[in-house]
Amino acid sequence: MATTHDYIEFVCDQVCGAGIPVESVRHKKMFGEYMVYVNCQPVLLVCGKTVFVKQLDCIADLMANADRGHPYGGAKEHYILEIENSELAGSGIAELEKVTPVPKPRKKKAK
């Protein structure tokens, strides 16, 4: 089931409710689903109305009891973030922001 625009707006509202300024949060449709950026850093992957975060050491303790899953076929296993839990979401996003680099702009291919 594909993620609806209403659901991605809900996720962004939840991120803002977790203490992230609204001007710092944006989303982009990618691969038929969505990536949520915080301060230009790709932090959340939303696929099939489920919020995923990478399994990184910095959030391992925080997400120890979290469900896990694959956002799409062929993807590595990710943690499933309970986005309704604003304390967990805020803490997880804060930690991910520290280690997630801002993507480098792609160079245009020469014609």
Side-chain angles (χ1 to χ4, degrees):
M1 175 187 295
T3 301
T4 63
H5 187 73
D6 289 340
Y7 187 74
I8 195 65
E9 290 296 326
F10 168 75
V11 170
C12 290
D13 289 344
Q14 292 296 109
V15 170
C16 293
I20 309 295
V22 68
E23 62 273 2
S24 300
V25 179
R26 68 180 178 88
H27 60 83
K28 183 176 181 181
K29 193 164 191 158
M30 301 178 83
F31 317 115
E33 295 291 350
Y34 291 89
M35 179 67 73
V36 176
Y37 294 81
V38 176
N39 292 319
C40 300
Q41 298 164 290
V43 177
L44 306 175
L45 182 59
V46 184
C47 298
K49 292 190 175 183
T50 304
V51 181
F52 294 93
V53 293
K54 282 187 176 181
Q55 290 186 7
L56 299 175
D57 292 339
C58 64
I59 59 170
D61 291 339
L62 185 66
M63 301 295 289
N65 296 323
D67 290 335
R68 296 161 195 219
H70 300 273
Y72 52 88
K76 292 181 180 179
E77 188 176 64
H78 285 59
Y79 293 121
I80 297 175
L81 180 64
E82 291 180 38
I83 196 66
E84 295 86 7
N85 182 338
S86 61
E87 186 177 322
L88 176 66
S91 298
I93 291 169
E95 290 301 314
L96 290 168
E97 264 191 289
K98 294 176 187 176
V99 299
T100 304
V102 175
K104 295 178 183 177
R106 292 185 174 188
K107 295 180 181 179
K108 294 184 179 182
K109 293 181 180 180
K111 291 184 179 183

